[in-house]
Amino acid sequence: MEGARLGDHALARGVRLEIYDEIDSTNDEAKRRAEAGDAGPLWIVAARQTKGRGRLGRSWSSLTGNLHASLLVSGFGPAALAPQLGFAAGLATIGALIEATGAVDRLALKWPNDVLLDGEKLAGILLEGVQPAGQGAPFGCVIGIGVNCVAAPTDLPYPASDLSRLGGPSAGALFALLSDKMAEALALWAGGSGFAALRERWLSHAAGLGAEIEARLPRETVSGRFETIDADGRLIISTRSGRRAIEAGDIFLPALAAARPEPERGR
């Protein structure tokens, strides 16, 4: 990836970086490193992925010029804490994007793992746990982050956007900011002891907070007001029958969809 480098803050914290022109998946490579005994923190970035994937096994289109990056971290404590890293990654990603573009009012975080630009998906995050072989080897987590820098895929069931709307930056320039913001977010999280503070910052960027939303689950759709996320990172919805805590699901934000402008059509 042209111009990719670590930020000064990340370098000072001993973070390492490896860059590939092409790879199957940055997450898969980071998992292989963990299984081979690398404890991180290690970033794997690539200009192209041949087998990129998103949450729930969905394919992730890895278009040239976009950001494809994965961070391996370990030694943070019990595996049960790992889902909190998704909120750290979301906060770091939106922080890097805001610093690069200044578009604070147009960027938002969608629970649990997306960044939106004008209500359309701009970035996604995929967490994968890894337990290396060997007695006493620390549990690790791979944090995959993909950002549409120059182009967004079109064959998706939801609208997607890219940074060309904001005039950049390049994937390499964005990565330097992201590496620093991620180091800062992990320091704030502090192995889970700082999740309350991290949660408050995440909520300050949350899309649909206080509005009517839908959580589409495998066997039902839960509708109600997006109240908050709780101390475990679950989405809390106020429904007519009471409060519901959602641990996983696809979230639909009707208010954002209604406010999204129609694309211009040629005559």
Side-chain angles (χ1 to χ4, degrees):
M1 182 188 302
E2 185 175 353
R5 64 173 183 82
L6 289 169
D8 293 341
H9 189 58
L11 281 169
R13 289 183 171 271
V15 180
R16 292 171 288 127
L17 168 64
E18 291 195 7
I19 304 171
Y20 294 83
D21 288 332
E22 183 175 289
I23 202 168
D24 53 353
S25 159
T26 57
N27 262 37
D28 284 347
E29 179 61 21
K31 288 169 68 176
R32 288 190 288 264
R33 295 305 181 91
E35 290 163 357
D38 196 322
L42 171 67
W43 280 102
I44 304 291
V45 303
R48 294 177 299 279
Q49 296 182 116
T50 58
K51 296 181 180 179
R53 63 182 182 279
R55 197 167 61 96
L56 304 177
R58 296 164 179 159
S59 176
W60 180 271
S61 296
S62 302
L63 305 177
T64 300
N66 289 347
L67 176 62
H68 320 112
S70 298
L71 174 65
L72 167 63
V73 294
S74 64
F76 49 79
L81 291 173
Q84 296 181 2
L85 288 166
F87 296 96
L91 189 63
T93 303
I94 199 170
L97 288 164
I98 289 171
E99 184 168 328
T101 67
V104 62
D105 295 330
R106 297 175 64 183
L107 294 160
L109 292 168
K110 179 184 171 188
W111 185 91
N113 64 347
D114 290 345
V115 182
L116 306 180
L117 170 61
D118 298 331
E120 299 180 352
K121 185 166 179 174
L122 175 67
I125 295 162
L126 175 65
L127 298 184
E128 295 187 291
V130 57
Q131 180 61 67
Q135 188 174 3
F139 180 83
C141 186
V142 174
I143 307 167
I145 301 175
V147 182
N148 298 330
C149 293
V150 299
T154 57
D155 55 341
L156 301 175
Y158 49 81
S161 188
D162 65 78
L163 285 176
S164 65
R165 286 189 183 181
L166 302 176
S170 69
L174 179 63
F175 174 74
L177 293 173
L178 175 62
S179 67
D180 275 349
K181 295 296 184 182
M182 194 68 207
E184 293 169 7
L186 290 175
L188 175 65
W189 179 61
S193 65
F195 183 66
L198 184 71
R199 169 183 168 274
E200 288 302 316
R201 294 191 189 183
W202 191 97
L203 283 168
S204 72
H205 298 288
L209 186 63
E212 294 295 309
I213 67 171
E214 294 179 359
R216 297 175 179 174
L217 312 180
R219 297 183 179 178
E220 64 175 325
T221 295
V222 179
S223 300
R225 183 175 61 86
F226 177 10
E227 186 177 317
T228 189
I229 59 171
D230 69 9
D232 295 316
R234 298 178 300 177
L235 180 74
I236 304 301
I237 300 179
S238 295
T239 74
R240 291 180 179 179
S241 57
R243 300 171 89 224
R244 286 285 300 271
I246 307 298
E247 294 187 355
D250 287 327
I251 305 305
F252 180 64
L253 308 171
L256 284 182
R260 188 180 303 121
E262 290 291 328
E264 295 183 3
R265 294 178 172 85
R267 295 182 180 180

